[in-house]
Amino acid sequence: YPCDQCDYIASHTKTLKIHKESKHEGVRYHCDQCDYIAAHAGTLKKHQESRHEGVQYPCDQCDYIASHTKTLKIHKESKHEGVRYPCDQCDYIAAHAGTLKEHKESRHEGV
């Protein structure tokens, strides 16, 4: 499902609708408890759960507590499962995908 306003291609009509609302129509979701503003309803829901409702995700292998399931997954992969992200251009190895991306941008793309 291609976007008629940019090069974005969605795999579902619902995803395309969300894309168009947030990227082209400026739809925003305001938190009713603070000044936070999200581009997606799901992001606002996660914000409210972690910041205002105290929802937490404890690690079952150590004392770490995450505020999001994605953060807990990243923690478990790097701390308990030994997942690493090697650079394909040098010997650097990162514990997180985002760290590898930053490394590549700063060391190999001159950013």
Side-chain angles (χ1 to χ4, degrees):
Y1 301 94
C3 178
D4 60 2
Q5 298 177 49
C6 71
D7 294 334
Y8 180 79
I9 298 174
S11 55
H12 303 286
T13 55
K14 183 178 179 179
T15 309
L16 179 60
K17 180 180 183 290
I18 292 168
H19 162 79
K20 289 175 117 177
E21 287 177 350
S22 66
K23 298 296 181 192
H24 303 300
E25 298 170 14
V27 173
R28 296 292 180 258
Y29 300 88
H30 297 260
C31 180
D32 60 2
Q33 299 177 54
C34 71
D35 293 333
Y36 182 80
I37 301 170
H40 305 282
T43 306
L44 176 60
K45 183 175 187 270
K46 288 177 185 176
H47 159 80
Q48 290 175 326
E49 288 176 350
S50 66
R51 298 289 183 243
H52 304 300
E53 297 170 15
V55 174
Q56 297 180 329
Y57 302 91
C59 179
D60 59 3
Q61 298 176 50
C62 71
D63 293 335
Y64 180 80
I65 299 173
S67 56
H68 301 286
T69 55
K70 184 176 182 178
T71 309
L72 179 60
K73 180 180 184 289
I74 292 168
H75 161 79
K76 286 180 152 186
E77 287 176 350
S78 67
K79 299 297 183 191
H80 303 300
E81 298 169 13
V83 173
R84 296 293 179 259
Y85 300 87
C87 180
D88 60 0
Q89 298 176 41
C90 72
D91 293 335
Y92 181 79
I93 299 173
H96 306 286
T99 307
L100 175 61
K101 182 177 185 245
E102 289 173 6
H103 160 80
K104 290 175 90 170
E105 288 174 351
S106 67
R107 299 284 189 223
H108 303 299
E109 297 177 15
V111 176

